[in-house]
């Protein structure tokens, strides 16, 4: 917001640097373009400000930058790489979630948490990927529901899948309770 507020975007994105010299004669005589001098002063002020706002950790990644756009580019590159790495880890973790004795609500919330974290990292999970993650971690007890979902012409919405899973869990729990009552008599 500060960069935008002071209209300094031109120093870090959509970079427009005025020519240092307007003519070859100016270059030979080392007469610097006044617009360039103004740009350079503003750039250096922004450079110092950017560096002063960085943590020691991040500052070490931008050392050697002579202009504000270089600092901005290095920060952007570092964060982009970090986000990509985090997104891969989250995607792998999402696909590794299993029901393993959890209630279906816990299971669904765990996967939804990964989907939300990925969205926070600017990675949108495609609907089919979300559905695959939901179905892959289910136990054999959910095979009938998986069959129903996979046999549909169009992939159901997440809400429809969740409703099927909640319904199955309720019926399955009830069935097991009734079976235990019958076998104990």
């Amino acid at each position: 917001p500060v960069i935008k507020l002071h209209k300094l975007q031109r120093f870090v994105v959509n970079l427009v640097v005025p020519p240092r010299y307007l003519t070859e004669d100016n270059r030979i005589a080392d007469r610097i373009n006044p617009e360039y001098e103004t740009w350079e002063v503003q750039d250096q002020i922004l450079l110092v400000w950017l560096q002063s706002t960085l943590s020691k950790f991040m500052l070490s990644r931008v050392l050697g930058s002579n202009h504000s756009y270089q600092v901005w580019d290095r920060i952007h590159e570092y964060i982009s790489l970090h986000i990509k790495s985090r997104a891969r880890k989250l995607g792998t973790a999402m696909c590794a979630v299993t029901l393993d004795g959890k209630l279906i609500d816990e299971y669904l919330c765990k996967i939804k948490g990964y989907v939300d974290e990925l969205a926070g990292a600017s990675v949108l999970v495609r609907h089919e990927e979300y559905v695959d993650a939901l179905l892959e971690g289910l136990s054999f007890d959910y095979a009938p529901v998986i069959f129903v979902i996979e046999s549909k012409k169009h992939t159901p919405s997440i809400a429809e899948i969740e409703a099927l899973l909640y319904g199955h869990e309720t019926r399955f729990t009830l069935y097991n309770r009734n079976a235990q009552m019958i076998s104990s008599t």
Side-chain angles (χ1 to χ4, degrees), residues 21-89:
Y21 303 105
L22 293 174
T23 66
E24 182 62 22
D25 289 339
N26 286 347
R27 188 187 66 72
I28 293 168
D30 198 28
R31 282 190 302 270
I32 298 174
N33 176 3
E35 277 186 51
Y36 179 82
E37 286 179 329
T38 301
W39 175 87
E40 189 172 40
V41 167
Q42 290 176 322
D43 176 67
Q44 293 306 294
I45 291 169
L46 181 56
L47 173 67
V48 170
W49 178 80
L50 281 172
Q51 290 174 334
S52 71
T53 63
L54 297 176
S55 66
K56 287 182 183 181
F57 174 78
M58 195 55 92
L59 188 58
S60 68
R61 280 153 176 60
V62 300
L63 287 176
S65 299
N66 297 317
H67 297 285
S68 55
Y69 72 87
Q70 292 170 325
V71 169
W72 194 262
D73 287 348
R74 288 179 182 177
I75 291 170
H76 183 72
E77 179 183 23
Y78 174 79
I79 290 172
S80 294
L81 292 172
H82 183 73
I83 287 173
K84 284 180 187 177
S85 173
R86 175 102 174 107
R88 278 193 297 277
K89 287 178 187 175

Side-chain angles (χ1 to χ4, degrees), residues 34 61 96 116 128 130 136 168 184:
R61 280 153 176 60
D116 291 344
E128 291 75 18
Y130 194 163
E136 284 300 313
H168 181 76
S184 65

